[in-house]
Amino acid sequence: QKSAQLGVSTSTLPKPPIPLLLSILSELRDQKYTDKVTKFTEPAMLKFEKPVSVADHPDYMQYVQTPMDLQTVERKVKNGQYATPEDFEYDMNLMFQNCIKYYSKNNASAEHFVEAGRFGQKTFRRIF
């Protein structure tokens, strides 16, 4: 952890306010994404809402070691599991990186998912 390297104890830092983190999730869920090719517009976070189905994507765990999704992040927020804003940021970035990593596996037909992951990452950085 960066804070440990700086000699700062994370136990002395205040936990991020739950309402703030929930408002960030809400704002993300309100975003729309328009595919560059199909021009189809959809909720930008739709693909990130629930855990990836291993039944639908049997090779997913070969590419992704730590799955993450918005429902899991929201549950962790509500349970007060994020000790620092960086912990929340880590999970959010992990979720988008997992998408980009999995769908970048030489599958041109999945470019929509890769772009959605990049859009999500960029939007999160702007909001957070």
Side-chain angles (χ1 to χ4, degrees):
Q1 296 254 356
K2 289 181 183 178
S3 55
Q5 293 171 350
L6 297 174
V8 177
S9 169
T10 55
S11 62
T12 61
L13 297 174
K15 279 188 158 190
I18 290 174
L20 174 65
L21 300 184
L22 291 176
S23 72
I24 291 169
L25 292 178
S26 178
E27 188 171 344
L28 274 172
R29 286 175 166 141
D30 288 343
Q31 301 298 309
K32 301 288 185 222
Y33 171 74
T34 302
D35 184 89
K36 293 174 186 171
V37 176
T38 66
K39 306 298 184 210
F40 180 73
T41 300
E42 64 184 347
M45 297 298 114
L46 188 63
K47 294 165 184 53
F48 305 102
E49 194 61 43
K50 296 180 181 179
V52 171
S53 167
V54 180
D56 293 338
H57 304 281
D59 63 342
Y60 187 71
M61 297 307 290
Q62 293 173 20
Y63 295 89
V64 173
Q65 279 65 51
T66 309
M68 189 54 59
D69 61 273
L70 286 174
Q71 287 181 351
T72 300
V73 170
E74 183 174 28
R75 185 182 70 248
K76 289 175 79 173
V77 167
K78 288 179 176 178
N79 290 336
Q81 291 179 258
Y82 291 116
T84 67
E86 289 80 10
D87 294 338
F88 172 76
E89 179 182 30
Y90 178 85
D91 277 355
M92 292 298 294
N93 284 321
L94 176 65
M95 178 179 66
F96 299 123
Q97 282 298 321
N98 286 349
C99 175
I100 293 166
K101 183 177 185 179
Y102 179 72
Y103 287 107
S104 292
K105 60 180 176 51
N106 302 321
N107 188 348
S109 65
E111 185 62 24
H112 171 76
F113 294 100
V114 173
E115 288 303 317
R118 289 183 181 137
F119 177 83
Q121 233 176 1
K122 181 179 173 183
T123 303
F124 174 70
R125 278 195 302 263
R126 180 180 53 78
I127 293 170
F128 189 67

